Structures are given as C-alpha cells and as structure tokens.
Amino acid sequence: MSRRGPLKSAVPSNLVSPVRRCSRTACGRPAVATLTYVYADSTAVLGPLATYAEPHCYDLCAEHSERLTAPRGWDVVRLAVDSGPARPSSDDLEALANAVREAARPQERAAGPGAAPGVMGPAGREANPMEVARRGHLRVLRSPDS
C-alpha cells in the first residue's frame, strides 16, 4: 500500500469571494439589488442589496435587475438602488471626529450644560444630574421625563 500525501481541495480557495454575486444561473457579476417575492400580494419587490444574504431572496446584478419582469397579474415595486459603492458622507465623518474628540477629553472636565452647580461627582468634578452611570467614554443618561 502506498501512502498518499495530504488531500488537496478540488476547488481552489482563492475562488471564494466576499462579494455577493448575481443569483441568476451562469452570471458572475456582482449583485447590486435584492429581489423578494410577496406571494400574498402577488408582488415582486426589487430594492437595494440586502445587508445579509437571505434564503428566500435573490441577489441580482445591474443588468438582471433592469430587465426584471414579473408573472402576469403581479406588480413590481422598484425601490431606489444605489449603483455606486457606498461612501461615507461628510456627516458620518464629522460625527466620528466629534466622538473621538469627546472620548479624548481629559476626565477632569467640568460637567456639561444642565448640570446643577455645586453638586460634586467622582474625581472632584461637578456631576451632571442627568448622568446615571459612566463606563469609559460612554454615559448612561436619565430620561428627561423622570
């Protein structure tokens, strides 16, 4: 008996891609839209690419999503589909920068607006009565109604 070496995979692993592909047979283009059928309403809904691949939904490339037709008597609802890659907006970047600045501030800062003057919290700083707890740079705030 001859001893064989380690079993090699029949499919090279470099063919697996994190990009979702069109569900149509023999189409390898990247998916840009998700098709869902609502059988109770006889409606096909074509919308932006879903965050996760669902078993009863179909991911379609740009060409197949444009040419989509539904069975006779069915309605097709087309939701806005972003054709380009998602890019962070200036609002997202500004919010991220503000969060980083807030987290980097020294812990000895005075309490923010709405704090009762003269009420001292930990580390000898004025406490905010709306603040219930703190963990790192995150704060738990009391509801304004209570």
Side-chain angles (χ1 to χ4, degrees), residues 7 47 53 57 60 94 102 118 130:
L7 183 65
C57 296
L60 299 176
E94 188 174 336
E102 176 71 22
M130 296 298 289

Side-chain angles (χ1 to χ4, degrees), residues 109-143:
R109 67 182 182 268
V119 178
M120 299 304 283
R125 62 187 171 126
E126 290 187 10
N128 183 344
M130 296 298 289
E131 189 174 310
V132 175
R134 178 179 274 260
R135 185 170 196 159
H137 68 281
L138 302 175
R139 295 179 291 230
V140 177
L141 302 177
R142 187 180 326 275
S143 172

Side-chain angles (χ1 to χ4, degrees), residues 62-75:
E63 181 181 339
H64 286 121
S65 63
E66 289 171 9
R67 295 187 327 180
L68 174 74
T69 59
R72 186 172 303 169
W74 281 55
D75 295 320

Side-chain angles (χ1 to χ4, degrees), residues 2 13 16 36 53 55 57-58 60 72 77 81-82 92 105-106 122 125 129 135-136 139-141 145-146:
S2 68
S13 63
V16 177
T36 306
C57 296
Y58 303 92
L60 299 176
R72 186 172 303 169
V77 176
V81 176
D82 294 334
D92 294 339
R105 285 188 184 158
R125 62 187 171 126
R135 185 170 196 159
R139 295 179 291 230
V140 177
L141 302 177
D145 300 333
S146 61

Side-chain angles (χ1 to χ4, degrees), residues 5 18 22 28 33 40 43 45 50 72 89 102 108 113 129 134 138:
C22 184
T43 304
V45 180
R72 186 172 303 169
S89 71
E102 176 71 22
E108 291 78 36
R134 178 179 274 260
L138 302 175

